[in-house]
């Protein structure tokens, strides 16, 4: 119980939100306080999407960066390139491995986070803010409906981690 209280107060102090749950789940305790933010959509390949107006911002989740370890290099495409839902648009290299990053939606890249070429560690320290990867003009906004909400993504991660 003391661990849960410490974890809850630490998460609160760090402003980590846990998907629709008033307390930290065992998943968050075991995964170093990985956060899942309400209001985003998630792919089972561990990318997130924040859709605002005519643009969707995409990056990898806190869960993904936690499993990757220290990110040392990010390979991203140029603006103007088309991305397809479920297909790779780039790669993230960490001290552990290189992983493809898949687009959770289809569309045209309108902006790339060029700061990641000089500071790839932003993906580790701020995966939902400074560590965003690309901004896309969705070609089929209805694809967002096929993605998971925060609660469903948290459950997916818990089940995936339990299976490993």
């Amino acid at each position: 119980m003391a661990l849960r209280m410490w974890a809850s107060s630490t998460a609160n102090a760090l402003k980590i939100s846990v998907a629709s749950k008033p307390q930290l789940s065992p998943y968050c305790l075991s995964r170093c306080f990985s956060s899942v933010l309400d209001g985003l959509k998630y792919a089972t390949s561990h990318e997130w999407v924040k859709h605002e107006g005519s643009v969707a911002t995409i990056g990898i989740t806190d869960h993904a960066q936690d499993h990757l370890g220290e990110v040392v290099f990010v390979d991203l495409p140029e603006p103007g390139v088309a991305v397809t839902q479920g297909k790779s648009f780039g790669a993230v290299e960490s001290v552990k491995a290189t992983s493809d990053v898949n687009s959770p939606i289809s569309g045209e890249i309108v902006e790339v986070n060029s700061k990641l070429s000089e500071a790839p560690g932003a993906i580790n320290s701020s995966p939902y803010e400074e560590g965003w990867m690309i901004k896309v003009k969705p070609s089929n906004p209805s694809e967002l409906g096929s993605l998971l909400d925060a609660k469903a993504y948290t459950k997916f991660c818990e089940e995936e981690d339990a299976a490993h």
Side-chain angles (χ1 to χ4, degrees), residues 27-49:
Y27 161 76
C28 289
L29 291 173
S30 67
R31 296 305 315 149
C32 303
F33 308 109
S34 293
S35 60
V36 177
L37 304 182
D38 285 320
L40 302 181
K41 291 290 198 169
Y42 298 88
T44 56
S45 53
H46 303 289
E47 293 85 14
W48 58 266
V49 180

Side-chain angles (χ1 to χ4, degrees), residues 5-155:
M5 287 175 50
W6 174 83
S8 294
S9 64
T10 301
N12 209 14
L14 295 172
K15 296 185 168 91
I16 296 173
S17 103
V18 180
S20 305
K21 293 185 181 181
Q23 61 186 13
L24 290 175
S25 69
Y27 161 76
C28 289
L29 291 173
S30 67
R31 296 305 315 149
C32 303
F33 308 109
S34 293
S35 60
V36 177
L37 304 182
D38 285 320
L40 302 181
K41 291 290 198 169
Y42 298 88
T44 56
S45 53
H46 303 289
E47 293 85 14
W48 58 266
V49 180
K50 182 177 185 179
H51 189 230
E52 297 177 301
S54 64
V55 176
T57 303
I58 297 170
I60 65 170
T61 66
D62 191 32
H63 180 81
Q65 72 77 26
D66 184 50
H67 280 272
L68 281 169
E70 182 185 348
V71 175
V72 295
F73 180 75
V74 181
D75 180 29
L76 297 174
E78 296 294 321
V81 171
V83 292
T84 303
Q85 184 179 42
K87 302 290 183 192
S88 174
F89 68 79
V92 175
E93 184 178 329
S94 73
V95 293
K96 293 181 183 179
T98 299
S99 299
D100 283 341
V101 182
N102 298 322
S103 185
I105 59 170
S106 301
E108 179 185 338
I109 297 173
V110 294
E111 188 177 345
V112 174
N113 188 350
S114 59
K115 293 178 184 176
L116 294 178
S117 62
E118 293 181 21
I123 290 174
N124 296 114
S125 61
S126 183
Y128 299 113
E129 293 170 0
E130 300 299 318
W132 66 272
M133 301 175 96
I134 60 173
K135 293 188 180 192
V136 172
K137 181 179 179 186
S139 58
N140 187 0
S142 66
E143 290 176 339
L144 290 163
S146 68
L147 301 173
L148 304 176
D149 65 13
K151 185 175 181 180
Y153 179 69
T154 298
K155 183 178 183 201

